[in-house]
Amino acid sequence: MTTADSNSGSGVAQAAAPQFADASRAPVVLEGRHLKKSYGRGPKVLPVLVDASIALHKGEMIAIVAPSGAGKSTLLHLLAALDMPTSGTVYFATKAVESNQDSLLAEFRNRAVGFLWQRHQLLLDFTAEENVAMPLLLRGENFTSAQGMARKWLTEVGLESRAGHRAGELSGGEQQRVSIARALVTGPAVLLADEPTGNLDEQNAWAVFELLVRLHRTLGLTSLIATHNLALAARCDRVLTLEHGVLTTRKATASASETPGGEAS
């Protein structure tokens, strides 16, 4: 299994390489083939994903639109190797993400994929800077280097002045921006975002989404965003829907100019 090259020593938000005019011709960065996920056993088994296949091409921003409980989070967890499928395979850079080597899985999670949670999952008694530095420290980088990169990323998301504040002292919008910095500080090739605006008010939801779009373009990321919000999804290159455990292509019914209030049904 290979991992993405780290950008941790090369600064923040460098100019991205030119994107492919036709995303379908771009190389596939992350792929899930025939993913199935069930919970329980015997007569109480609960199928969440039945046959979900998805290919993320380099530079794409894709939205998965579905109501709560449809399996969006489960799919993202499988793609990030935070959980393992009942059957099916996840591929990164054409190589299977194997589940039998913990060290390689940890490296994949730390370097290849950045994960953005709906609920920020910050350590509330730690500062914003310490939260952002944590993934770098976990992979063995020295404290001074990790601290410097954390500060650069907090500046990138507009929180330079809040670096020394505890996460519990920040507003919801600020906490989510810290989460974005933490997800990207390791220099991943792919950003997986699970309802990144779901807990925010309308103004903060748009501000966070616009930040994600800017960073996606500037860094040349490949991004997959799970949401139930059609107006936000309409800003993405492709919109998929997840119904009965299967992914299909969907045309968003809300325009990019609408407020983020339209929901999938």
Side-chain angles (χ1 to χ4, degrees):
M1 177 184 66
T2 60
T3 57
D5 292 334
S6 171
N7 295 330
S8 62
S10 57
V12 176
Q14 300 174 358
Q19 297 299 295
F20 293 84
D22 181 358
S24 65
R25 294 174 142 188
V28 173
V29 179
L30 185 65
E31 182 179 8
R33 296 183 192 171
H34 305 295
L35 297 178
K36 297 182 181 181
K37 184 64 178 180
S38 299
Y39 295 96
R41 295 180 179 178
K44 295 184 178 180
V45 67
L46 175 64
V48 178
L49 298 177
V50 177
D51 188 10
S53 294
I54 184 172
L56 281 65
H57 296 264
K58 182 176 175 60
E60 276 193 303
M61 176 176 269
I62 302 172
I64 296 178
V65 177
S68 298
K72 301 187 301 297
S73 295
T74 298
L75 177 60
L76 265 65
H77 290 172
L78 297 184
L79 292 173
L82 297 173
D83 195 3
M84 293 297 122
T86 303
S87 63
T89 307
V90 173
Y91 296 86
F92 177 74
T94 72
K95 294 188 177 182
V97 178
E98 303 291 352
S99 61
N100 58 354
Q101 297 190 50
D102 290 342
S103 61
L104 291 181
L105 282 178
E107 184 180 5
F108 171 76
R109 297 177 189 129
N110 188 275
R111 295 179 182 270
V113 174
F115 201 95
L116 184 59
W117 308 82
Q118 177 179 350
R119 296 175 179 82
H120 51 78
Q121 303 294 340
L122 299 176
L123 300 172
L124 297 181
D125 289 333
F126 286 69
T127 67
E129 182 181 289
E130 290 167 339
N131 272 279
V132 176
M134 197 67 67
L136 299 177
L137 296 172
L138 287 174
R139 75 183 189 194
E141 297 203 17
N142 67 69
F143 181 79
T144 301
S145 173
Q147 184 182 48
M149 282 303 298
R151 287 178 178 173
K152 289 180 180 179
W153 270 102
L154 287 170
T155 299
E156 184 67 29
V157 299
L159 291 178
E160 181 179 15
S161 64
R162 303 288 268 165
H165 290 255
R166 291 183 179 181
E169 299 171 343
L170 305 178
S171 69
E174 288 172 334
Q175 289 173 335
Q176 197 64 327
R177 282 189 277 164
V178 173
S179 297
I180 293 171
R182 182 185 58 187
L184 296 177
V185 71
T186 58
V190 178
L191 175 65
L192 302 175
D194 186 9
E195 295 277 7
T197 64
N199 284 352
L200 302 177
D201 59 46
E202 182 179 306
Q203 182 177 358
N204 277 307
W206 273 115
V208 164
F209 188 78
E210 292 294 345
L211 176 60
L212 290 174
V213 171
R214 176 173 68 80
L215 293 172
H216 169 86
R217 292 173 177 170
T218 304
L219 298 169
L221 292 169
T222 301
S223 302
L224 179 62
I225 300 174
T227 183
H228 59 264
N229 192 301
L230 295 176
L232 297 182
R235 294 287 306 278
C236 296
D237 301 318
R238 280 196 288 148
V239 180
L240 306 177
T241 187
L242 182 60
E243 296 181 271
H244 308 297
V246 179
L247 282 168
T248 55
T249 301
R250 169 177 179 163
K251 183 176 180 180
T253 57
S255 70
S257 62
E258 290 184 73
T259 58
E263 296 187 356
S265 59

